[in-house]
């Protein structure tokens, strides 16, 4: 049972990879495979990618909760968990951009990717000098906000695949709300990145 949290974290990595490949294939980005897909199959892959994202996001909550509940917190889990988060978020954003350029998605997605790689680099440099950058409460909320916003963007990008109403009075407000949620996630992401940067700067001076 104590291995269960690490199993869930490892599963998140595999599911995230499947999600990205499914989105890339639906967008025509997988050589040979994409050429074999019809419109219905592309839409099916978009739906599968979304549900894979949801399952992976749920494991993000349960692996940490189970690790504390079972007293199974491990160094391996502590390493894998943030890696799994970043692969899930980055894979979903890259998959979204593969589905088609969207000015309201590209900038916030790019800012989120920039922050994730920058903080990972900070942690790596800090670890080499014995400096730890523990996850803050706001950073945990940031991850939750990112996952909700990205999941919503995946639905919006695959709107027809889910057979949702095409009435402009529905699509318009939904589009505005979902894009606003992603921009809010990007803003919180940058704030937490600045907090980590300041903490690292003070510790490394």
């Amino acid at each position: 049972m104590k291995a269960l949290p690490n199993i869930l974290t490892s599963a998140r990595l595999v599911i995230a990879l499947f999600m990205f490949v499914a989105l890339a294939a639906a967008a025509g980005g997988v050589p040979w495979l994409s050429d074999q897909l019809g419109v219905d199959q592309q839409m099916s892959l978009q739906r599968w990618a979304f549900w894979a994202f949801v399952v992976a996001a749920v494991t993000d909550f349960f692996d940490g909760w189970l690790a504390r509940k079972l007293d199974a917190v491990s160094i391996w889990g502590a390493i894998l968990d943030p890696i799994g988060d970043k692969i899930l978020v980055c894979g979903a954003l890259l998959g979204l951009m593969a589905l088609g350029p969207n000015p309201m998605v590209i900038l916030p997605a790019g800012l989120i990717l920039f922050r994730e790689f920058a903080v990972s680099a900070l942690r790596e440099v800090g670890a080499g000098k014995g400096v730890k950058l523990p996850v803050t409460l706001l950073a945990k909320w940031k991850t939750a906000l990112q996952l909700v916003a990205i999941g919503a963007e995946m639905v919006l990008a695959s709107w027809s695949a889910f057979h949702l109403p095409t009435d402009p009075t529905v699509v318009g407000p939904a589009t505005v709300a979902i894009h606003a949620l992603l921009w809010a996630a990007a803003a919180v992401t940058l704030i937490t990145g600045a907090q980590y940067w300041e903490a690292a700067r003070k510790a490394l001076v």
Side-chain angles (χ1 to χ4, degrees):
M1 287 296 291
K2 288 196 172 185
L4 186 56
N6 286 349
I7 292 173
L8 286 177
T9 304
S10 300
R12 184 157 78 254
L13 293 170
V14 175
I15 295 170
L17 178 59
F18 165 79
M19 173 207 65
F20 172 70
V21 172
L23 287 175
V30 177
W32 184 81
L33 176 60
S34 294
D35 295 335
Q36 315 304 314
L37 300 175
V39 174
D40 288 343
Q41 292 168 314
Q42 290 174 332
M43 289 184 174
S44 179
L45 279 176
Q46 291 175 20
R47 292 192 296 270
W48 274 103
F50 169 76
W51 291 117
F53 178 84
V54 171
V55 171
V58 170
T59 67
D60 181 45
F61 168 77
F62 279 107
D63 59 2
W65 179 80
L66 282 173
R68 292 186 294 272
K69 189 77 172 178
L70 299 173
D71 192 24
V73 176
S74 65
I75 295 175
W76 185 241
I79 293 172
L80 277 182
D81 187 57
I83 292 175
D85 290 345
K86 285 175 173 53
I87 288 178
L88 178 60
V89 168
C90 295
L93 288 174
L94 290 172
L96 273 174
M97 288 189 281
L99 288 176
N102 188 325
M104 293 300 292
V105 172
I106 291 175
L107 182 56
L111 292 174
I112 289 173
L113 292 172
F114 173 81
R115 181 271 187 196
E116 297 299 346
F117 286 115
V119 170
S120 293
L122 276 178
R123 282 206 169 96
E124 185 175 347
V125 172
K129 297 182 180 296
V131 174
K132 293 183 179 180
L133 296 174
V135 177
T136 64
L137 179 60
L138 183 59
K140 291 180 179 179
W141 281 105
K142 174 269 303 180
T143 300
L145 183 58
Q146 280 182 349
L147 294 176
V148 172
I150 292 171
E153 287 287 355
M154 290 177 71
V155 172
L156 184 61
S158 306
W159 195 267
S160 58
F162 285 97
H163 307 295
L164 295 171
T166 56
D167 188 335
T169 60
V170 175
V171 178
T175 300
V176 172
I178 290 170
H179 287 334
L181 190 60
L182 183 64
W183 279 86
V188 175
T189 298
L190 291 178
I191 291 170
T192 59
Q195 290 176 337
Y196 282 126
W197 180 273
E198 183 63 16
R201 186 189 66 80
K202 290 180 178 178
L204 294 172
V205 168

